[in-house]
Amino acid sequence: MSAPNSAATSPRGLIKLPVAVSIYKIPLLVLGTVFAGWQLQVHFQLLSRHTGVVAATVSLSLLVCLMLRWRSRLRRIHAQLEHYASRMGVPLPVESRGDPLARLESRLQRFSEEVIAETSALEYQAQHDGLTSLPNRSLLLERLEAALHQARTQYRSLALFIMDLDRFKEVNDTLGHHVGDRLLQQVGRRLESVLGDMDTVARLGGDEFALLLPGADRQRSQAVCRRILAVMERPIRIDEIRLRAGISIGVVLYPDHGADATLLMRTADIAMYEAKRKQQGYAFYRPSDDIQAISRLGLSADLGDAVANNELKLEYQPMVDVKTGRIFCAEALVRWCHPTIGQIPPEDFIPLAEQTGAIRPLTLWVIDRALEQVKHWANAGLHLCISINMSVRCLQDRGLPAQVQALVDRHHVDPANVVLEITESAIMSDPMTARRVMRRLSNIGFHLSIDDFGTGYSSLAYLKQLPVDEIKIDKSFVSQMDQDENDAVIVRATIDLAHNLGMKVVAEGVESTDVWDLLEMLGCDTAQGYLIRPPLAGKALADWISSSEWHREYWTPSPALETETV
Ligand code: C2E
Ligand code: CA
Ligand code: CA
C-alpha cells in the first residue's frame, strides 16, 4: 500500500510571494521619496528651507499612506485566508497582537499544513477502498501499467489474478450487510497475508478482488493460487458465526495472454468465470474460454427462439422411496439441442435464460410438457409424481402461481402430485417476494422442495417458516459420504433435523450401493442418482421401469400403453 504522498505542490509558496513583494516595496518607496527630496534640495539649490519641510511632510504622508495601504492589504490577506480556511474547515490560530507579519506567517503555515494533509487524504481515498483500505481499481490499473512497462523493458513476466467470492450475495442477504462487510475485510486481510513485497492486492468492488504479481510466472502463480485457496479454507469467524468464504481465481500471464492492461483485465475476468463455472478454485486463461464467452453472448439470442424452434426436450430422472424401493416420482430436467453447437448443458443456458428473461416461457414450457408426460404415464398405468425445477426468477414473478395453476387445470393433474424444486439461493435473493409466491403455490396444493440444500447459508429453522415439505441434500454431500466422514455427519444431521421439523429428505447424487446403504440406515426418505438411473426420455423411463427390478411390483401396465413421449 502506498503511504499518503506529501505532495510538493504546497500552496504556501503561492500565498507568500505577493505578500513578500509588497512588504519589500514599502521601505524602497520610502527611501526613494526621501532620497528624491534630498537630491532636489542639494543639487539644484532651488528649494527654500520651507520647501524642504514640505518635501519631508510629503515623504512622511506618503510613508503613512503606504503603511495604511500595507495594513489594509494584510487585513485583506487575513480575511481571504480566513474565508478559505472556513470553507475547508481548517481552524486558524486567532488573530493576536504582535508582529503582523509573524502572525500572518504562522496562520499561513497552519493553513498550508492542513491543505497538504487534506490533499494527501483525498489522494489516498481516491486510490483506496474505504471498507478494506486495500488499493482500489484505479490504483491497481496504475500499478499494472507501471509493472507492464517494467516487464517490457526488462523482458520479464507478470501475473494478474481476478478473484470473486462464491455465494457472497447469500451472506449479505441472509446474515445482513454488516456481516458481509466484515467478511470482505477479513478476506482482504487473508489475501494480504499471501503477498510478497512487490505484489498488490486490490478490491475492485463488491466481492471482487485482484492480485498483481510483478515478475511471476506460471509456476509461482500456481503456488500463490494454492496458498490463497488454503487460507480461504479456514472458516472466518464473525461474532458467533463461522463462515467459509469460497473463492474463484482467474489467472492471466504477461506476455502469454495479453500485452496491455485492458486485455489482461478482460482475460483474467474470463478465466475467473471459468474457475467459478467449473468450481475448480482457480483457472488459467485459455483462448478457448474466450470463444466460449463470445458464443455465450450469441447463445442468449438463440435461446429466445429455442422453445419456438422445438429445440428443447425433457429428460426424467427416477426418484426412489428408500424404505420400499419403489420409484414414485421423476425429476424433469431440460435439455437444449442447439442446431449448430449441439447439446448444451442446462447449467450453461439456465443462467443465460435468467439474465435474458427467457426463463419465464422456458419454465412454463417445462411445466406444460412435464404435466403432459405425467398424463401419458398415468394413461399407461404408470402413476408417478413429477418434480420440476423453478428458477430464481420464477420466485420473483408474482404472476407465476396463476399461470402454473392454469396449466395443472388444463392437464387435469392433481397439484399434490407436482413437486416444485426451489434452490436455497433463489429464496434468499428476495426473501419477501419468494415467501409470498411460495405461499400461493403451496395454497394451490403444490409440494415445495428445497433443492441443493447445504450449498447456501440458510438454516433449516429459517426454511421451516416457509411452506416447505421436503429438502434435497445437494449431491456434493451425498456422492462421497461413504468415504468422507464430514459429509456423512452433515447428511446425518440434516436428515435428523429435517425429520424433527416434519420435512421429508431426498438425497441426490446416489452413485453407489455403499451410499444407498448408509442413507437407508440414516432413515433418508428418497434417493436419486446414477446408481438408480441417469436421466432419460419419458418413454425410455417407462420402458426401463417396466423391466426394472426397482419397480416391477408397483407397475400396472395398461393394455393400451401409449408409448408417445413428450
Ligand atoms: P439439479 O436440479 O441439482 O439436477 C440434478 C443434476 O444432477 C442433473 O444434472 C442430473 O443429471 C445430475 N445427477 C443426477 N444424478 C447424479 C449422480 O448420481 N451424480 C452426479 N454427479 N450427478 C447426478 P443436469 O440435468 O445437468 O441439470 C443440472 C442443473 O440444471 C439442475 O441441477 C438444475 O439446477 C438445472 N436445471 C435442469 N433442468 C432445469 C429446468 O427445467 N429448469 C430450471 N430452472 N433448472 C433446470
Ligand atoms: Ca433439481
Ligand atoms: Ca439439486
Side-chain angles (χ1 to χ4, degrees), residues 331 389 421 423 450-453 472-475 508 528:
E331 178 177 0
N389 292 286
E421 294 188 13
T423 55
I450 302 296
D451 203 0
D452 301 343
F453 184 80
K472 275 184 102 160
I473 308 179
D474 190 62
K475 51 182 175 286
E508 62 174 23
Q528 178 183 353

Side-chain angles (χ1 to χ4, degrees), residues 372-384 538-539 542-543 546 554-564:
E372 203 177 331
Q373 182 66 71
V374 166
K375 217 57 209 156
H376 273 295
W377 286 332
N379 289 341
L382 177 60
H383 297 281
L384 293 179
K539 177 186 177 306
D543 291 346
S546 69
Y554 299 93
W555 172 242
T556 50
S558 98
L561 174 61
E562 283 238 30
T563 52
E564 193 182 333

Side-chain angles (χ1 to χ4, degrees), residues 316-322 326-331 333 335 421 451 472-476 478-480 505-513 515-516 519 524-536 541 544 548 550:
Y316 301 87
Q317 187 172 32
M319 298 167 75
V320 182
D321 181 327
V322 178
R326 180 188 169 208
I327 293 174
F328 69 100
C329 196
E331 178 177 0
L333 294 157
R335 308 285 177 247
E421 294 188 13
D451 203 0
K472 275 184 102 160
I473 308 179
D474 190 62
K475 51 182 175 286
S476 60
V478 176
S479 321
Q480 309 287 319
V505 180
V506 182
E508 62 174 23
V510 180
E511 295 176 354
S512 68
T513 43
V515 168
W516 172 281
L519 289 169
C524 180
D525 303 284
T526 307
Q528 178 183 353
Y530 294 164
L531 173 71
I532 301 138
R533 219 23 257 228
L536 69 176
L541 180 72
W544 174 76
S548 154
W550 288 99

Side-chain angles (χ1 to χ4, degrees), residues 127 135-148 160 162 200 202 204 210 212 260-266:
Q127 296 198 311
N136 62 13
R137 183 184 288 271
S138 108
L139 183 53
L140 174 86
L141 287 175
E142 206 174 278
R143 293 195 182 165
L144 177 59
E145 292 285 6
L148 276 171
L160 175 72
I162 290 201
T200 298
L204 301 180
L212 172 64
D260 65 68
T262 317
L263 188 61
L264 288 173
M265 290 292 284
R266 193 178 75 77

Side-chain angles (χ1 to χ4, degrees), residues 5 63 86 96 114 146 149 193 198 265 272 288 290 298 315 336 354 379 383 411 416 468 476 508 513 529:
N5 181 10
L63 181 64
S86 87
S96 57
E114 288 286 341
H149 177 71
S193 72
M198 303 304 292
M265 290 292 284
M272 188 275 289
S288 59
D290 221 355
E315 284 190 341
W336 181 14
E354 283 171 345
N379 289 341
H383 297 281
H411 290 286
V468 171
S476 60
E508 62 174 23
T513 43

